Amino acid sequence: PEDVTTLDEVSKLNEIIDGKKFDLKHPFFDKISLFYGDITKIQVDAIVNAANDRLGGGGGVDGAIHRAAGHNQLQAECRKHTRPVPTGEAVVTDACKLSTHVKKIIHCVGPICYGGVTDEKRKKLESCYRRAIQLSEENDLRSIAFCCISTGIYGYDNKDAARTVLRFLWRHFNKEENVEKWDRIVLCLFMDVDKQCYKQYIKELLLDP
Ligand code: AR6
């Protein structure tokens, strides 16, 4: 479809950050992109949904994905899975009407975080990203776009989420065997606050890995 952004059109981190100042040989920079906008408009093998444990659809990115994929069709796919899905876990469904440019949807259930971030919530958030990556590898999916899981309706602090996610990806993609399986990891940022948090923390990581 015409309004879809291909991976060639999404800048990699080493194009976004002033690369000359830093050692950009870390594979992280060549595999990770930032995309600003609607996750349903990116051409990737898998998009990640921030779902609820019933996989019942809802507001936020979940609502946008259900609308784009076709609510009834996607609900039929979701009902094939055992629910409730535990927090920190993920399941894969067909992409339904999004299948013109997306192969699978990975539904992650992030932590609900109104009372502030705790170690346990942080681990659950990290677990969402880890499980989505594992499930992609098991399904031969080589590119993925993540939304900022839990940082909307579920109330997880944006700064802490950016730091947790980037630190996890930094460690994961420090190993060559983890890098090989991937064409691209896209971090889809929808809110200005997330753009700021991600850019700031990427710089912090560079200065103090
Ligand atoms: N594309 C990319 N990101 C988006 C889009 C979009 N089209 N729309 C919103 N976001 P949220 P949560 C961003 O609230 O906090 C649902 O009702 C949004 O700005 O969607 O995990 C579910 O059914 C934010 O940065 O998910 C659950 O009940 C990020 O996506 C609950 O909300 C996540 O915000 C899950 O809450």
Side-chain angles (χ1 to χ4, degrees):
E2 272 170 25
D3 60 343
V4 165
T5 302
T6 66
L7 281 183
D8 288 342
E9 295 166 322
V10 187
S11 303
K12 296 177 187 175
L13 278 190
N14 59 16
E15 295 152 3
I16 296 169
I17 291 165
D18 183 7
K20 287 176 215 118
K21 285 196 221 150
F22 305 105
D23 170 21
L24 295 182
K25 285 190 206 78
H26 195 302
F28 181 86
F29 296 103
D30 215 35
K31 295 290 173 180
I32 295 185
S33 291
L34 302 185
F35 173 82
Y36 308 132
D38 182 352
I39 200 166
T40 66
K41 304 290 187 190
I42 315 174
Q43 181 166 36
V44 274
D45 288 351
I47 60 171
V48 173
N49 185 18
N52 53 62
D53 62 359
R54 293 161 282 110
L55 306 179
V61 69
D62 196 8
I65 290 175
H66 270 78
R67 275 193 298 282
H71 183 74
N72 292 343
Q73 268 173 273
L74 186 53
Q75 276 299 289
E77 290 298 316
C78 287
R79 281 195 294 271
K80 293 177 186 170
H81 289 279
T82 308
R83 291 154 293 146
V85 176
T87 304
E89 268 299 325
V91 303
V92 183
T93 69
D94 210 71
C96 302
K97 285 186 192 160
L98 283 171
S99 59
T100 48
H101 58 285
V102 176
K103 290 182 188 157
K104 298 283 181 190
I105 299 170
I106 301 181
H107 306 262
C108 289
V109 180
I112 299 175
C113 206
Y114 302 129
V117 180
T118 60
D119 266 353
E120 196 197 337
K121 309 258 177 198
R122 207 173 276 127
K123 281 191 187 121
K124 299 279 186 205
L125 184 67
E126 193 178 302
S127 167
C128 288
Y129 285 78
R130 182 182 305 106
R131 288 293 295 139
I133 284 178
Q134 279 172 356
L135 286 171
S136 298
E137 291 176 357
E138 285 167 25
N139 287 276
D140 296 321
L141 305 166
R142 295 187 56 87
S143 57
I144 191 168
F146 283 98
C147 64
C148 297
I149 300 169
S150 280
T151 62
I153 294 162
Y154 278 180
Y156 195 109
D157 176 72
N158 300 76
K159 261 190 178 165
D160 192 286
R163 185 171 294 161
T164 301
V165 168
L166 286 167
R167 205 181 274 166
F168 165 70
L169 293 173
W170 177 274
R171 285 199 310 268
H172 187 81
F173 289 107
N174 213 358
K175 300 192 185 105
E176 199 53 48
E177 71 269 23
N178 289 341
V179 173
E180 282 163 5
K181 299 167 192 158
W182 287 93
D183 293 334
R184 204 81 68 87
I185 314 288
V186 180
L187 303 173
C188 176
L189 311 178
F190 199 67
M191 307 278 285
D192 282 337
V193 58
D194 291 319
K195 291 183 203 173
Q196 283 157 18
C197 290
Y198 272 75
K199 283 201 171 159
Q200 187 199 326
Y201 197 62
I202 287 161
K203 285 192 184 135
E204 283 179 31
L205 258 183
L206 287 165
L207 296 171
D208 185 16

